[in-house]
Amino acid sequence: MNYQARENDRSLPLPITQAANSIAWQFSQQQPTSQKAEQVRLNTLAVCAVRDYLEMMGVPVNWNECDSWNPFMRACVDAADLEVSGLGRLECRAIATDASTCYVPPEVWEDRIGYVVVRLDEVEKQVCILGFVQQVTQEQLTVNQLRSPEDLLSHLQDLSAITSLSFANANPPTSTVNLRQWFQNTFEPGWQTVVSLLNPTEHNLTFSFRKTEELNTNEVDRPENFVRRAKLIDLGMQLAGHAVALVMELRPASEQKTDLIVQVHPTGRETFLPPSLQLIVLDESGSVFLEAKARRADNYIQLQFSGTTGERFSVKVALGDVGITEHFII
């Protein structure tokens, strides 16, 4: 049988990104044996592929809360799960270019809203979303049992209707912000100009931001094509008269590299940030990359770093047990 001739033409090809390869290698290096390392590497590539596809289609996901992203669980179970926000977990399984069946371990036969199979072609650096099934009751799943990727979206839409959620919004609150689009003046809802959010008519805020500019982002050093936007972060502090703004500034350093400055500022009539307010940058694996904490009488906090095209990271603003996380791709 010539399997390639039978593969359904509804499958969706996507590139295997450098970021996906990097995080898969990082996770694999944490494993005790070469067999477990390869298992984790392939699982991670599958999860990244399905995540990229769903985010491209406007479906909000939360990869940081899954077994596949938890170091302890990765070592204990053969799981490749991806949380679809508000709905549940998809299991993402990878097969080789010449395979016609997909192995699904019994430990993931429950607590899943579907099983997605992807074909990995690491020579061509391409992954193909083959399709999905809703349930699995045996270890070997044949590819000709799969429903199309479009059916997967319909399945998620049906589940969202049941839970009173909607994926019609292409930019949901938990979606990933594409920073490259900012250089084309395309911004996601909620990201405003710094001037409009920080309200320069207020004397104290004008002084605060001017001080930030003088100390950290001197106009002489700023390239002409920099981009800066701000977003209001609601940590429930408004009841106490507080609110903060997350400020993101992008500076192209080269064709593939971007310099980033991340700041948190007070808004309204507040001059200073709440003490112990945290600004945290997380890498794609969810590990802390950089962090800063506001001290008494701080009128801003800041982190500065660089990233390459396709790299993902998250920024978390937290106070006590409450935190808001924004996800980004460069």
Side-chain angles (χ1 to χ4, degrees):
M1 179 181 68
N2 184 343
Y3 171 73
Q4 292 295 333
R6 292 193 54 189
E7 187 158 300
N8 78 72
D9 56 9
R10 297 173 297 175
S11 59
L12 179 70
L14 295 170
I16 300 177
T17 65
Q18 180 181 351
N21 270 324
S22 177
I23 194 63
W25 181 86
Q26 178 185 336
F27 285 176
S28 70
Q29 295 305 296
Q30 301 167 354
Q31 307 312 310
T33 67
S34 59
Q35 181 179 1
K36 182 64 177 178
E38 182 65 1
Q39 177 194 96
V40 167
R41 190 183 71 85
L42 295 177
N43 285 350
T44 304
L45 289 175
V47 171
C48 288
V50 177
R51 177 196 64 186
D52 290 347
Y53 170 61
L54 293 181
E55 288 184 341
M56 181 176 67
M57 303 307 297
V59 179
V61 298
N62 185 4
W63 64 90
N64 290 332
E65 300 298 326
C66 304
D67 290 345
S68 60
W69 240 247
N70 182 301
F72 175 77
M73 296 303 295
R74 276 199 304 271
C76 296
V77 299
D78 179 6
D81 57 330
L82 175 65
E83 177 82 17
V84 180
S85 300
L87 296 184
R89 299 183 184 187
L90 289 170
E91 183 69 18
C92 314
R93 307 302 301 190
I95 60 173
T97 54
D98 58 349
S100 59
T101 62
C102 175
Y103 173 69
V104 183
E107 58 199 299
V108 300
W109 289 2
E110 298 180 357
D111 192 31
R112 298 292 188 268
I113 59 174
Y115 299 79
V116 186
V117 178
V118 304
R119 184 179 298 285
L120 289 176
D121 187 342
E122 298 191 74
V123 174
E124 298 295 329
K125 298 181 180 180
Q126 181 174 279
V127 60
C128 197
I129 310 293
L130 296 183
F132 95 109
V133 294
Q134 288 184 229
Q135 293 181 323
V136 169
T137 57
Q138 55 188 11
E139 294 185 6
Q140 295 298 328
L141 173 66
T142 60
V143 173
N144 58 17
Q145 292 178 262
L146 300 175
R147 297 164 59 185
S148 71
E150 291 79 7
D151 288 340
L152 170 62
L153 297 179
S154 297
H155 173 55
L156 297 179
Q157 289 172 345
D158 291 342
L159 292 177
S160 71
I162 294 173
T163 58
S164 301
L165 297 176
S166 174
F167 295 140
N169 182 1
N171 295 288
T174 55
S175 65
T176 299
V177 176
N178 188 336
L179 294 175
R180 301 297 295 182
Q181 294 182 352
W182 286 19
F183 291 113
Q184 282 75 50
N185 290 319
T186 300
F187 305 99
E188 290 78 3
W191 288 95
Q192 310 172 42
T193 64
V194 173
V195 171
S196 64
L197 187 56
L198 292 186
N199 189 5
T201 59
E202 297 287 349
H203 171 73
N204 55 349
L205 287 175
T206 304
F207 173 80
S208 173
F209 201 71
R210 184 184 302 120
K211 181 178 180 182
T212 302
E213 296 280 49
E214 292 171 353
L215 289 175
N216 303 285
T217 56
N218 192 300
E219 292 290 350
V220 175
D221 299 327
R222 178 179 288 117
E224 293 182 359
N225 54 343
F226 80 96
V227 182
R228 187 201 291 149
R229 277 295 187 272
K231 184 174 184 178
L232 188 69
I233 299 297
D234 179 6
L235 294 173
M237 295 181 294
Q238 286 86 338
L239 296 177
H242 292 287
V244 296
L246 175 64
V247 177
M248 300 284 297
E249 181 173 311
L250 316 180
R251 305 179 182 185
S254 67
E255 185 176 345
Q256 294 294 321
K257 184 178 179 181
T258 302
D259 294 334
L260 299 102
I261 296 174
V262 185
Q263 299 174 337
V264 176
H265 290 260
T267 61
R269 295 183 177 273
E270 293 299 316
T271 304
F272 305 114
L273 292 170
S276 299
L277 182 79
Q278 292 178 286
L279 173 62
I280 304 169
V281 176
L282 307 169
D283 64 19
E284 188 169 2
S285 69
S287 301
V288 174
F289 174 58
L290 293 170
E291 59 183 325
K293 181 181 290 187
R295 298 165 298 182
R296 188 173 301 278
D298 273 347
N299 57 12
Y300 73 95
I301 49 177
Q302 171 179 292
L303 295 172
Q304 189 167 352
F305 58 101
S306 299
T308 57
T309 300
E311 189 172 355
R312 295 172 182 269
F313 66 95
S314 301
V315 175
K316 182 176 182 179
V317 180
L319 184 63
D321 296 330
V322 181
I324 298 294
T325 303
E326 296 284 335
H327 304 295
F328 301 91
I329 182 170
I330 300 175

